[in-house]
Amino acid sequence: MTCFNYTRMIKNYNPFTPDDRLRTLIEENSLLLMVLARFGISFGFGDKTVREVCREDDVDCGSFLAVCNLIDGRDYSQFTVSLSSLMGFLRSAHSYFLDFLLPSIRHKLLQSINTTQIDDVAVLLLRFFDGYVSEVRRHMEYENSRIFSYVDSLLSGDVTDRFRIADYSVGHTSMADKLNELKEVFIRHYHQKDNMILASALSDIIACNQDLCSHCEIEDKLFIPAVMCLEKSLQLNESEADAGSEVADERDELVESMTEREKDIIRCVARGMANKEIADRLALSINTVTTYRRNISSKLQIHSPAGLTIFAILHKLVDINEIDPHI
């Protein structure tokens, strides 16, 4: 599995609260420095509490704490997020990836690998990276222009848009797989000495991979559920969802084409079970379960457990009350 699931096992620590000193959060997890930057929180906060700093920088405290607790593997369920605040955070993260981190990695790759020979594998590796960056850009620009605009319209009370966040969420992924593949190619197969800059680039790739996975979890576990709640609160009815009927019909056909065993596998995944647990539950080998999951992902074009969970809920393969909110 490419993405390490930071939040699958909730820590036995108490969640961060508004009355904790902000510097305590950073001491517990230095990765939260990026959360501060993306929420627009100023440094130099001394010994002030989270509540005090959020008030001074006009940041929604609940959203900030939900993100911090999620990233640190703590219980985030008690915090209510502001969609406006969370979208600002996500837009800032997109800008960081597209305008800073990925270009920085490319610059280091150019410095560290030999591109003097036209047929050198280094040229192919750079093309691979550039193609990946183009995919990430399309993905994030789509979210910026289409998804966030849709949510902005909901927040303004405009419910005429016939798009549904569930149509987007089912196939939502972290986009970290290809980046991990590139790292593996370099480590396993690209032979050269004098690797100081290349090692730095690969370290950045690993950090970017983890950051993308974390970013995807924030969207899957905080942003998308909050949008679904907003849609429900606006009492969007069946007739307003007709525009997505063709997609729904196609998915219904997919469900009907699935075997009962495939449905059992999806139910287990949605309940947060690992492959070994699924194998034990269904009296199958782990290899058989792995094959089933690969075939299911190929058939549905859904590759993340979060996407399969949402698919299972939408098609009534599981009841939403069966799902652990921390999975």
Side-chain angles (χ1 to χ4, degrees):
M1 188 179 208
T2 301
C3 288
F4 179 80
N5 194 332
Y6 298 97
T7 59
R8 189 174 186 86
M9 294 298 294
I10 299 299
K11 291 182 177 179
N12 291 323
Y13 309 142
N14 292 327
F16 298 129
T17 71
D19 296 318
D20 287 331
R21 292 185 307 168
L22 184 53
R23 61 180 296 185
T24 300
L25 276 64
I26 305 305
E27 290 167 356
E28 289 285 336
N29 189 339
S30 61
L31 295 177
L32 299 183
L33 282 168
M34 291 306 304
V35 177
L36 269 67
R38 292 170 188 175
F39 271 109
I41 291 178
S42 303
F43 294 158
F45 39 75
D47 289 326
K48 293 176 182 175
T49 66
V50 173
R51 190 195 313 276
E52 291 170 333
V53 175
C54 286
R55 184 184 300 119
E56 290 180 2
D57 285 325
D58 195 26
V59 172
D60 181 72
C61 191
S63 301
F64 174 74
L65 283 169
V67 170
C68 288
N69 281 296
L70 174 60
I71 288 177
D72 198 49
R74 299 171 187 250
D75 184 5
Y76 57 89
S77 60
Q78 65 181 277
F79 300 101
T80 302
V81 301
S82 159
L83 277 171
S84 295
S85 182
L86 197 55
M87 282 193 295
F89 169 87
L90 295 172
R91 284 190 176 104
S92 180
H94 290 173
S95 178
Y96 172 73
F97 288 122
L98 297 177
D99 302 331
F100 177 75
L101 184 54
L102 292 172
S104 175
I105 292 173
R106 189 181 195 278
H107 179 68
K108 288 183 180 180
L109 290 176
L110 280 172
Q111 286 183 299
S112 62
I113 62 180
N114 178 15
T115 59
T116 57
Q117 299 180 23
I118 258 184
D119 295 328
D120 195 281
V121 67
V123 176
L124 299 178
L125 290 169
L126 281 174
R127 288 176 182 170
F128 184 100
F129 181 78
D130 289 343
Y132 170 76
V133 172
S134 295
E135 288 183 28
V136 173
R137 184 173 297 278
R138 285 194 297 272
H139 175 87
M140 291 186 174
E141 288 181 348
Y142 175 78
E143 289 184 342
N144 287 344
S145 63
R146 185 69 180 90
I147 304 303
F148 296 159
S149 295
Y150 167 68
V151 177
D152 282 333
S153 71
L154 289 179
L155 290 170
S156 66
D158 181 5
V159 295
T160 60
D161 195 333
R162 299 160 75 86
F163 176 80
R164 289 294 169 271
I165 197 66
D167 296 332
Y168 167 73
S169 65
V170 168
H172 184 240
T173 65
S174 69
M175 302 199 68
D177 288 346
K178 284 191 176 180
L179 198 59
N180 190 62
E181 289 175 13
L182 181 65
K183 177 206 70 176
E184 290 298 315
V185 169
F186 272 114
I187 292 176
R188 293 173 178 268
H189 307 293
Y190 189 76
H191 182 73
Q192 74 168 26
K193 294 185 177 180
D194 302 321
N195 283 324
M196 294 293 284
I197 299 177
L198 180 57
S200 178
L202 294 178
S203 178
D204 287 348
I205 285 174
I206 292 170
C208 183
N209 186 294
Q210 293 173 341
D211 203 353
L212 284 168
C213 290
S214 176
H215 180 79
C216 183
E217 282 199 311
I218 291 167
E219 290 180 325
D220 284 342
K221 297 185 177 182
L222 295 178
F223 176 68
I224 290 173
V227 177
M228 288 180 171
C229 286
L230 178 59
E231 288 174 333
K232 184 176 180 180
S233 70
L234 293 173
Q235 297 180 335
L236 303 179
N237 57 43
E238 293 291 335
S239 63
E240 291 173 319
D242 285 345
S245 60
E246 290 185 12
V247 175
D249 289 343
E250 180 181 347
R251 290 177 188 155
D252 288 339
E253 291 177 5
L254 283 173
V255 173
E256 291 175 3
S257 71
M258 296 174 67
T259 66
E260 288 304 313
R261 180 63 79 194
E262 288 175 328
K263 293 176 184 177
D264 287 339
I265 297 287
I266 291 182
R267 291 186 186 100
C268 290
V269 172
R271 291 168 182 143
M273 298 171 65
N275 283 356
K276 186 177 186 310
E277 295 174 298
I278 297 174
D280 292 342
R281 171 69 66 85
L282 301 180
L284 300 171
S285 71
I286 294 180
N287 287 338
T288 300
V289 172
T290 300
T291 300
Y292 267 117
R293 290 192 64 170
R294 184 168 56 248
N295 292 341
I296 290 168
S297 293
S298 177
K299 181 183 291 187
L300 301 181
Q301 288 300 296
I302 302 172
H303 302 281
S304 69
L308 289 173
T309 299
I310 293 171
F311 182 90
I313 293 170
L314 290 174
H315 292 282
K316 304 188 187 316
L317 296 177
V318 295
D319 188 276
I320 193 170
N321 294 322
E322 300 177 58
I323 307 303
D324 183 340
H326 301 138
I327 292 175

